[in-house]
Amino acid sequence: YKYVMEKQSVSDTLLRLKICIPDLGIPYNQSLKLQVNSSVQVVELIGYVLYVLQQSKNESLDKHHLDPNAWKLYLADDDGEMEDDFGVLDRTRVVQSYGADEFVLVECTDVETKENEKVTPSPLENGSSQNLSDINPQMSANVSGIINYDDATFDAAQQTKSDSVAT
């Protein structure tokens, strides 16, 4: 899912997002701070968040937790709680279209997971041993960890961390 954090075309921009995941013990005040492509869909953002957590060796993740269809995304209100009035975000809609930068990721019930699989089928389901890079050549397996844009300076195209030291 590394492609989610990179510009795919000249017209793309990079969004700075905060995502809390209460079900995994990541509260609003410790939200993940990620920079992602403005053209990604909600389901891709969910997959990228899970990918980053897996790469950071988050011990609360099991195989079920790594399936993007086992999660749903909400807008966050001013207190970092789910914005229930707006409801679950459409998995196929582009994240930027919501005009928000703070989200809450919540685990789905088994019934919701099965419904999500119908809407956004996973290319890795049904025992497929296909490599992620075969499915999308822009995917890569080397994310060094959670990107915290408060502690880093990013080049808009490369997202590289500067060597400067905070004083």
Side-chain angles (χ1 to χ4, degrees):
Y1 284 97
K2 185 179 177 194
Y3 73 97
V4 170
M5 66 182 253
E6 298 171 344
K7 291 174 107 178
Q8 301 302 309
S9 73
V10 177
S11 63
D12 287 343
T13 58
L14 297 173
L15 305 173
R16 292 180 174 195
L17 306 178
K18 288 177 67 175
I19 301 170
C20 67
I21 314 169
D23 293 336
L24 294 180
I26 302 174
Y28 181 70
N29 63 348
Q30 296 175 357
S31 296
L32 299 181
K33 296 172 182 168
L34 304 172
Q35 193 163 327
V36 301
N37 184 312
S38 59
S39 65
V40 300
Q41 294 179 339
V42 168
V43 70
E44 293 172 311
L45 175 60
I46 294 170
Y48 178 64
V49 168
L50 299 174
Y51 176 75
V52 168
L53 290 173
Q54 179 189 31
Q55 294 301 306
S56 68
K57 309 279 191 260
N58 186 303
E59 295 177 8
S60 58
L61 290 175
D62 59 21
K63 184 179 178 185
H64 170 76
H65 285 118
L66 294 176
D67 179 3
N69 286 321
W71 297 91
K72 54 190 171 185
L73 196 66
Y74 289 88
L75 296 176
D77 64 15
D78 293 336
D79 298 327
E81 299 292 323
M82 292 184 308
E83 183 60 64
D84 287 332
D85 295 338
F86 199 79
V88 177
L89 304 186
D90 181 335
R91 307 178 68 70
T92 61
R93 193 166 157 186
V94 174
V95 172
Q96 183 179 22
S97 68
Y98 288 101
D101 61 359
E102 296 181 357
F103 300 91
V104 180
L105 190 60
V106 178
E107 196 167 1
C108 293
T109 65
D110 289 340
V111 171
E112 291 170 321
T113 300
K114 288 177 183 168
E115 282 300 311
N116 288 342
E117 189 62 41
K118 292 176 187 173
V119 176
T120 53
S122 171
L124 300 178
E125 284 298 312
N126 303 323
S128 172
S129 61
Q130 193 172 18
N131 187 324
L132 286 176
S133 60
D134 294 337
I135 296 163
N136 185 329
Q138 296 171 354
M139 287 185 184
S140 172
N142 68 26
V143 167
S144 60
I146 297 172
I147 299 167
N148 184 341
Y149 58 75
D150 288 341
D151 298 332
T153 302
F154 290 93
D155 173 301
Q158 299 294 323
Q159 285 194 332
T160 57
K161 207 170 194 177
S162 74
D163 292 330
S164 61
V165 177
T167 56

